[in-house]
Amino acid sequence: MIAQEQRYPIGIQTFEEIRKGGYMYADKTGYVYELARRYRYVFLSRPRRFGKSLLVSTMKSYFEGRRDLFVGLQAGTLEKEWRHYPVLHFSLAAAKEGTADDLKERLATQIEWMEQKHGVTTPRTSPGDRLGRLIKGCCEKYHKQVVVLIDEYDAPLLATIHHTEQANAMRMALRAFYAPLKDCDPWLRFVFITGITKFSQLSIFSELNNLRRITMDPRFSAICGITEQELHTQWQPAVTDMSRRMGVGTDEAYRLLKQHYDGYHFARDLTDVYNPFSLLNAFDSGDVQAHWFETATPTVLVQTLQRFPTDITRIENSQATADDFDAPTEQMTTVLPLFYQSGYLTIKDYDPALNVYTLGYPNTEVRTGVMKALIPHYVSADALATKNNIIEMYRLLKQSDLAGALDSLKDFLAAVPYAEGATSEGHFQQLLYVVFSLMGMYMQTEVRTATGRIDVVWQSATDVYVMELKTDHPAADALSQIDRKGYLIAYSRDGRRLHKAGISFSTKTRTIEEYIIADE
């Protein structure tokens, strides 16, 4: 049956293995052809596990003239000449020790592999000097220009991003390695560099002033990942099989996949891109789970939030220009660049008149994953106890029992050790935001009205709750503010049941002191 016929290339990043092994493949070879035809120096950043390494491997096979691997693919039709070039393929994925010496050793090892492959020997000098000599040596041997492919260029930089002294040493080591590329221009046919984040040209690629950045180019917005069209055509058999194994209809399977894994936009054209790692794992397991975020390293995410204090309720729907988020991460002053480039945020909308982008969480998998990572910092370090409390609150809220849910939260917080910073209304607002988000009940915060800002609005299919928060003040004061400023007026024609809630938190006990809920 379908389940036995389809082979999903989970963890396979080699184009040749995928093609010879009969694995399913989203054809991106047309992009490879276009890049090779148009440019010589190209840079692309995409989130981890988005197919960058497979793209680099595809380029390697293309420039090596492996025509047999491209039969039936776009490049197989477009390319007529199939010239063979010597290819130097580097990956810095394993260079995560955080020291320049480790980086140099790993570069030296890879250079030696390529020297053996091409039969070219260079003196045992610095990696940069050896790279330059290797390029020239290959060109002289083959009488052809050389292709240089560098995958995960920023892995050693990400390992030191919050350690200034180590990061500076790492940047200098990488800069010295890349420097010969400019001097070798006559001997180079194509250079492709890819990674997760964007580092400034001055700090890393100071000599490559002709580096073409395609990260936000609409023409290449779908170069990695799987598009809506591809999912409904090339991958339709996989969706059908998954729906059968899940016991749901095909339309429901598509809906679940879209809700959990779609929503990535890498350019102003807003082309929908699905997370390929999550899709492949969902097809293979026959289940919709948090496949991508389970492999995440949220430590960097949390460290970034600590370095740049951020109201997490305001991250979603952030308004920004490209310079604010598609920016060098070593120069960032907010969380937006790292959050966006790591795949925790994506482009949700674009205003061409103002050249302003709206950012947000791409899908349920990412949003829930981010909130789970924040539990120890806003709720409790006891993840199991937090999960159990959230399950209880979820059941109560499904019955429109906000009072019961708040009682449950009050008892839970009372048993939690004092959280640092839990002394402000803003902290408690963010705590509620995390808890409700983990239940899939997305609340709005700081909702603007003609008379002020509502602290919290939570809406279900049948009810609208307008909440005002206070610290160390009576809940009646909060309820009075809702009435005085007419916060419910905006929802008077909604048709759902309307409720108002005044909630008072105590900075002494770090939990809910009292609440008053009233129906309108």
Side-chain angles (χ1 to χ4, degrees):
M1 300 301 291
I2 294 178
Q4 298 173 328
E5 296 172 355
Q6 305 297 345
R7 302 188 70 190
Y8 305 113
I10 299 173
I12 300 177
Q13 301 175 342
T14 305
F15 179 69
E16 180 179 6
E17 183 178 353
I18 288 175
R19 295 295 288 162
K20 288 187 173 180
Y23 292 95
M24 291 191 70
Y25 172 68
D27 188 359
K28 306 294 181 179
T29 62
Y31 292 110
V32 173
Y33 171 82
E34 283 300 316
L35 287 175
R37 187 173 68 89
R38 291 174 179 272
Y39 307 116
R40 291 184 60 206
Y41 295 84
V42 180
F43 173 81
L44 171 72
S45 69
R46 282 292 185 269
R48 60 186 175 78
R49 297 187 178 275
F50 245 81
K52 299 185 299 297
S53 297
L54 176 57
L55 178 65
V56 171
S57 177
T58 306
M59 289 180 174
K60 180 175 181 292
S61 295
Y62 172 80
F63 281 108
E64 287 179 341
R66 296 295 307 276
R67 184 174 187 173
D68 58 307
L69 299 178
F70 292 83
V71 174
L73 300 179
Q74 294 174 21
T77 302
L78 296 168
E79 183 58 74
K80 306 301 181 185
E81 297 180 349
W82 291 102
R83 296 177 180 176
H84 177 277
Y85 297 92
V87 177
L88 306 180
H89 179 193
F90 294 89
S91 173
L92 306 188
K96 298 178 180 179
E97 295 298 318
T99 67
D101 288 340
D102 173 70
L103 171 63
K104 292 175 183 177
E105 288 180 11
R106 293 182 185 277
L107 288 173
T109 298
Q110 294 189 46
I111 288 174
E112 288 176 8
W113 292 342
M114 281 174 268
E115 287 178 341
Q116 293 173 7
K117 175 182 178 179
H118 295 289
V120 175
T121 304
T122 66
R124 296 300 187 265
T125 54
S126 69
D129 180 68
R130 292 180 68 182
L131 173 62
R133 293 175 182 270
L134 179 58
I135 291 171
K136 295 175 184 176
C138 286
C139 192
E140 291 173 357
K141 177 177 180 178
Y142 296 106
H143 302 289
K144 294 180 179 179
Q145 290 177 304
V146 177
V147 172
V148 176
L149 307 174
I150 302 174
D151 190 20
E152 302 287 358
Y153 89 98
D154 55 345
L157 295 165
L158 286 173
T160 61
I161 193 169
H162 293 301
H163 305 281
T164 304
E165 186 174 338
Q166 291 175 269
N168 288 336
M170 196 68 73
R171 281 195 292 270
M172 293 301 294
L174 283 171
R175 183 175 179 176
F177 177 66
Y178 297 131
L181 293 176
K182 181 179 181 180
D183 293 334
C184 290
D185 182 76
W187 299 283
L188 290 172
R189 164 63 181 86
F190 188 78
V191 175
F192 185 77
I193 301 171
T194 187
I196 296 173
T197 55
K198 176 181 178 180
F199 282 78
S200 69
Q201 185 153 329
L202 179 63
S203 66
I204 305 297
F205 309 118
S206 59
E207 305 299 329
L208 298 180
N209 51 20
N210 55 349
L211 193 62
R212 175 69 182 181
R213 292 179 173 82
I214 64 168
T215 300
M216 293 186 67
D217 190 326
R219 294 172 299 177
F220 301 100
S221 57
I223 194 170
C224 291
I226 296 174
T227 66
E228 188 83 46
Q229 181 181 8
E230 289 167 342
L231 187 65
H232 283 265
T233 53
Q234 301 175 34
W235 297 86
Q236 187 273 332
V239 179
T240 300
D241 177 57
M242 191 189 81
S243 68
R244 178 186 60 80
R245 293 163 66 190
M246 290 180 66
V248 301
T250 304
D251 289 345
E252 176 63 7
Y254 274 116
R255 188 192 70 79
L256 289 170
L257 292 173
K258 189 172 188 66
Q259 176 186 344
H260 283 80
Y261 309 135
D262 189 23
Y264 285 96
H265 307 114
F266 297 108
R268 62 181 181 272
D269 66 337
L270 301 179
T271 297
D272 267 327
V273 177
Y274 286 73
N275 184 315
F277 182 81
S278 291
L279 274 183
L280 291 178
N281 277 276
F283 294 151
D284 184 66
S285 66
D287 198 8
V288 176
Q289 297 292 336
H291 300 291
W292 180 77
F293 213 95
E294 283 182 351
T295 67
T297 52
T299 302
V300 174
L301 179 151
V302 174
Q303 288 177 341
T304 305
L305 283 170
Q306 292 173 335
R307 181 179 175 186
F308 306 108
T310 304
D311 181 348
I312 60 169
T313 69
R314 312 305 294 170
I315 292 178
E316 190 162 30
N317 295 319
S318 297
Q319 303 287 306
T321 63
D323 292 339
D324 295 322
F325 59 90
D326 184 38
T329 49
E330 82 272 29
Q331 298 175 359
M332 63 185 179
T333 56
T334 72
V335 301
L336 290 184
L338 191 61
F339 267 56
Y340 171 78
Q341 293 168 35
S342 298
Y344 300 124
L345 292 177
T346 193
I347 297 169
K348 306 299 287 187
D349 198 8
Y350 174 66
D351 185 340
L354 298 175
N355 195 27
V356 169
Y357 295 82
T358 300
L359 304 182
Y361 300 113
N363 49 51
T364 297
E365 178 185 22
V366 174
R367 184 190 183 102
T368 302
V370 169
M371 296 304 151
K372 284 183 178 179
L374 298 179
I375 284 176
H377 304 275
Y378 288 93
V379 187
S380 167
D382 189 337
L384 179 59
T386 303
K387 181 178 180 180
N388 289 335
N389 177 254
I390 287 173
I391 291 172
E392 181 180 359
M393 290 182 65
Y394 178 82
R395 288 171 177 164
L396 291 165
L397 289 171
K398 276 295 185 181
Q399 301 170 21
S400 298
D401 186 1
L402 178 61
L406 291 177
D407 284 335
S408 177
L409 181 61
K410 176 181 179 179
D411 293 342
F412 173 71
L413 293 177
V416 172
Y418 286 2
E420 182 179 351
T423 58
S424 68
E425 180 181 312
H427 176 88
F428 291 117
Q429 186 185 58
Q430 293 177 71
L431 182 151
L432 285 177
Y433 181 81
V434 170
V435 169
F436 273 69
S437 292
L438 286 169
M439 292 186 286
M441 298 177 176
Y442 306 142
M443 59 168 47
Q444 298 169 278
T445 61
E446 299 298 320
V447 179
R448 293 178 180 270
T449 71
T451 56
R453 293 185 182 181
I454 306 172
D455 284 342
V456 174
V457 176
W458 171 57
Q459 304 180 52
S460 71
T462 56
D463 300 82
V464 176
Y465 293 87
V466 171
M467 309 180 202
E468 192 66 26
L469 312 180
K470 295 293 182 184
T471 54
D472 300 328
H473 283 80
D477 290 354
L479 206 66
S480 175
Q481 182 173 329
I482 295 174
D483 291 334
R484 188 174 66 253
K485 295 199 173 184
Y487 286 160
L488 282 171
I489 294 175
Y491 304 94
S492 60
R493 297 183 180 180
D494 185 275
R496 289 174 287 183
R497 295 189 295 263
L498 303 184
H499 314 270
K500 53 189 176 183
I503 306 173
S504 173
F505 289 89
S506 169
T507 58
K508 182 178 180 180
T509 61
R510 269 74 165 183
T511 189
I512 298 171
E513 184 69 18
E514 63 170 344
Y515 62 83
I516 302 174
I517 302 173
D519 298 336
E520 188 68 8

